[in-house]
Each structure stands twice: as structure tokens, then as C-alpha cells.
Amino acid sequence: MFRVLVSDKIAKEGLSPLLESEGIEVVEKNVSEVDDLDSYDALLVRSATQVTDEVMRKMPKLKIIGRAGVGVDNIDVHAATERGINVVNAPSGNTIATAEHTFALMLALVRKVCQANQSIRNEEWNRSAFQGMELYGKTLGIIGFGRIGKEVAKRARAFQMRVLTCDLVLTDEEAELRGVTRCERTEIFRTADIITLHLPATPETKHLINEDTLRIMKPGVIIINTARGSLIDEAALKHSLEIGHVGGAAMDVHSHEPPENYDLVKMENVLATPHIAASTKEAQLKVAAIVAQEVLNFATGKRVENSVNFR
Ligand code: MLT
């Protein structure tokens, strides 16, 4: 029997390739509540379960970890590789959900939707308090031009925004085809009205938005983050918002989740959500189905497509 432990809440419907297969047993239980960890061959997680070396040590039979999502920063991939454990993710499953949430945050922030909603719920009728800004004609800087960045660019073009990106591998032809302009990252910092982040959490991307980069940004710039909290030095951002240099910020992701301190997310010109960009019915079904199929492929000796550590 090939035993699969599903440690986070993963869409059941998407797990059907595993649930319907003979010779595979699926147990849905958090890692911390399982006594017989040593009997599992596969582990499926979202982002809540921290798959540390210690967890892997308790699972000597573990051969594959499936991440129902993109970011693998909750998994010690290095330790997994050392132990010969395959780590697979679902890189395409939540692209659309995240790109759409980026726009949900951007529009809600520039049109003060949340404040206006709160005001009318308080039985106030205050039309003059909520003057916003249009996206039309504004320059959007997209930092990180992978799957999500590209979908964000498509939607930005529909809003008739000017789109800048600093991707190194993007050719001039592709940039033209996508209606985006390639430039240096510094140019994005200096010229964009709105900057949106779509990079993974790595040592290189840590605090990409910091005191120095904030200082060169246009006064009134708006920053959107649906990627990873570590990309922003939150103290520096808070200061820049306080002095009115940054005009507003919207983030779905936070340096600590949940935040250790809610001061930043409670600021007037900040809009925050609790890491829900990928939380649509469609995306959760897709990511579950992708990793379930990968684990099934692995269990039946077939090739896995989305290994992040074994190619
Ligand atoms: C991802 O990395 O896939 C997203 O941040 C959503 C999630 O953590 O599940």
C-alpha cells in the first residue's frame, strides 16, 4: 500500500485521482496529529504545514512531497534533496486567481472601495471623501514576469495602462507581442505609478522593497504584493507610508503569517488580505488535481512533470 498523508486542507474533488486508485491510501490529517508518520510514502501540503528536516526525519519512507500551490518556501527543499525526496508543486494552478486578486487589490485600493463600503455601512453618505485614481494611462511596473506577471500584464493592457517589466529573459519580440516595455528594475522604481511584485521568496529577493529602493520611487507610488511577504521590508514601507512618500500599499502576503504586529495592515492607506490570492474554488481544484496526479504518476512509476529538485 502506498500511503499518502494530506496535511493541509486540499480540495477533495481534486484528490480523486488518488482516492480512486487501488493500492493507494489517503489519510487527511495534520502532520502534528499523526502518530505513525513513519508509515507514509507521500505528503501533500498547502502553505500551512512547515515541512522541516525534522518532519522528514520522522518520515523515513517519505519519497515525494506535493505542494498544492506554487511557492515551496514552507518546505526545506535542500533537506528533501539530501534525503532523496522529490518535491513537486502545481506551478500553473493558481495563476489566474492570483492575477485577478492583484487587480482586486489594485482597484479596491485606488478607488477606496473598502473605506467607502465601511462608511455606507455606518449609514453615512459621504461622496466627497472617496475620490480615487484611475488606472487608465498609468504606468504599471511588474517585477517578476513569470506566469502570474504575464497574466497581470494582459489585464493591465485591458485597462490601457503602460506596462514596464524588467525580466532578463524576455526578448524584445515577446515584449512587443505582449504590449510591455522591457527596462531596468531601477527605471521601474523611478517611473512607475504602481508597482506589483510577482517573484518567489529567495535570499536574492528578500527586502527588494527597502529604504533605498523606496526612496527612489515616484512620490505617491502604489505598491501591490501578492507574491511573498519577505520581498518587502515592512518597517521601511510603513515609514514611507507615514511620511506620505508611498501613496498606498496593498498586500495579500506578509513577512509573518499571521502578522506578529498589525500596525502596518491597519494603516489608512493600506489594504490587506490574509494570503487568499489563490483561494478560489477553481484554483484550489486545479492545484489539488495537479499534485494528486503527480503523486499518482510517481506511485505508479511514471514521470513527474513538476519536480522542483529532481529534473
Ligand atoms: C502559492 O504559493 O501557491 C500561493 O501563495 C498560495 C498558497 O500558498 O497556497
Side-chain angles (χ1 to χ4, degrees), residues 46-48 67-74 90 94 98 226-228 252-253 257 275-279 284 287:
R46 262 193 83 183
S47 56
R67 162 71 165 99
V70 188
V72 287
D73 40 307
N74 57 317
N94 53 34
T98 308
T226 53
R228 280 296 180 265
D252 181 51
V253 286
E257 295 188 0
H275 203 152
I276 56 163
S279 298
Q284 287 313 306
V287 292

Side-chain angles (χ1 to χ4, degrees), residues 234 253-265 272-275:
E234 291 177 347
V253 286
H254 311 273
S255 60
H256 293 277
E257 295 188 0
E260 283 176 342
N261 172 322
Y262 286 78
D263 290 351
L264 173 64
V265 300
T273 48
H275 203 152

